[in-house]
Amino acid sequence: NEYKSYLSHVTMSKKKGLSVDEKRKRMLEVFHEKKDVFQLKELEKICPKEKGITPMSVKDILQSLVDDNLVCAEKIGTSNYFWSFPSQVTLSRKRRLEEIDSEIGSLKKRKITDSEQINKAKEGRIDNQERQGLLEEIAVKQKMLDAVANEVLKYKECDPDVLERKKKEIMMCKEAINRWTDNIYSVQSWCRNKFNINVKDMCKSFGIPEDIDYI
């Protein structure tokens, strides 16, 4: 049955061909379904057999997942180990969305500022002296606007909606920290059972506090 399953995956791969995104998705499924830590040679056996990923592409696909922080990689002794938990993927995607939102916001502000500056420059180009005076006045008013905006931010902290949102963000962070604490315990337990590694030595090597606990 396993041989037939392998042939089925190989045949499917040859007929359709798997895109890079599909290979990445299937490799993540291996980590999340098995909830284990792997070496590259293990993945080179499992991924072709169970997910139809060609052996030659396993290493590159794995590296792309590591580069995108979807898979963790750590060297223990002379060997490299890889693992991933579902919560890690969620956090990584959330961070990327926040980065994109921030980039979009910056670009929008830059566009508005550039448009305003172009329009003002056009209006003041008739008289260089008058134009210079207007630019200086704009600079002064911009500083006043920035000062007012900073003052508004101080009072914004007292806004009930802002406080409620912060409470929710704190709860999300708390849940994320506890998930990662659970993940660390799982990895420690696995390394202790499989390699007879002392947990204290492991904590010292990776900078993990010995008194790490849920919050």
Side-chain angles (χ1 to χ4, degrees):
N1 288 336
E2 291 182 0
Y3 181 68
K4 286 181 180 179
S5 176
Y6 172 70
L7 286 179
S8 174
H9 280 303
V10 171
T11 303
M12 179 180 65
S13 180
K14 286 181 178 179
K15 284 181 179 179
K16 290 184 176 181
L18 296 175
S19 66
V20 172
D21 287 340
E22 183 63 25
K23 289 177 183 178
R24 283 161 55 91
K25 179 183 175 183
R26 293 190 181 193
M27 187 175 289
L28 276 176
E29 287 175 356
V30 171
F31 285 105
H32 298 167
E33 289 169 0
K34 296 184 179 295
K35 296 180 176 64
D36 206 345
V37 181
F38 301 95
Q39 290 182 273
L40 174 61
K41 60 184 179 182
E42 294 173 318
L43 291 170
E44 286 175 336
K45 292 179 181 178
I46 295 170
C47 290
K49 183 177 179 181
E50 297 186 11
K51 298 298 180 180
I53 302 173
T54 56
M56 294 292 290
S57 64
V58 169
K59 184 176 181 180
D60 291 338
I61 296 299
L62 177 60
Q63 187 59 51
S64 75
L65 293 173
V66 172
D67 293 340
D68 289 343
N69 296 317
L70 296 175
V71 170
C72 289
E74 207 61 71
K75 188 169 185 178
I76 301 176
T78 57
S79 301
N80 291 311
Y81 295 91
F82 305 91
W83 67 91
S84 175
F85 299 98
S87 58
Q88 180 179 340
V89 176
T90 302
L91 289 172
S92 179
R93 287 174 179 167
K94 184 175 182 293
R95 281 196 298 268
R96 182 57 186 151
L97 284 174
E98 289 172 350
E99 290 172 1
I100 292 172
D101 286 341
S102 177
E103 290 171 7
I104 291 173
S106 297
L107 289 172
K108 284 182 178 178
K109 289 179 182 178
R110 183 176 175 182
K111 181 182 177 183
I112 293 171
T113 302
D114 289 347
S115 297
E116 290 175 349
Q117 289 176 346
I118 290 170
N119 291 332
K120 289 171 183 176
K122 285 179 180 178
E123 292 171 0
R125 195 160 290 180
I126 298 173
D127 186 337
N128 286 334
Q129 187 174 358
E130 183 182 356
R131 177 171 175 267
Q132 184 60 37
L134 287 171
L135 289 174
E136 289 175 359
E137 185 179 349
I138 289 169
V140 171
K141 289 185 176 180
Q142 185 61 51
K143 287 182 180 179
M144 292 173 63
L145 181 62
D146 291 341
V148 172
N150 289 332
E151 190 68 20
V152 170
L153 283 176
K154 292 179 183 177
Y155 292 101
K156 191 176 180 182
E157 295 297 326
C158 300
D159 188 326
D161 292 336
V162 174
L163 291 174
E164 184 62 29
R165 187 166 64 250
K166 286 186 177 295
K167 285 181 182 179
K168 290 180 180 178
E169 290 173 355
I170 290 170
M171 286 302 299
M172 288 176 63
C173 290
K174 206 174 164 186
E175 290 172 1
I177 290 170
N178 284 335
R179 282 197 300 271
W180 274 102
T181 301
D182 190 51
N183 292 342
I184 290 171
Y185 283 152
S186 297
V187 172
Q188 286 178 337
S189 176
W190 183 86
C191 290
R192 182 179 62 244
N193 295 333
K194 192 163 186 177
F195 302 104
N196 197 27
I197 295 176
N198 185 280
V199 173
K200 287 188 177 181
D201 293 339
M202 185 179 178
C203 288
K204 188 176 180 181
S205 298
F206 293 99
I208 301 171
E210 290 185 21
D211 60 348
I212 185 172
D213 202 350
Y214 299 100
I215 61 172

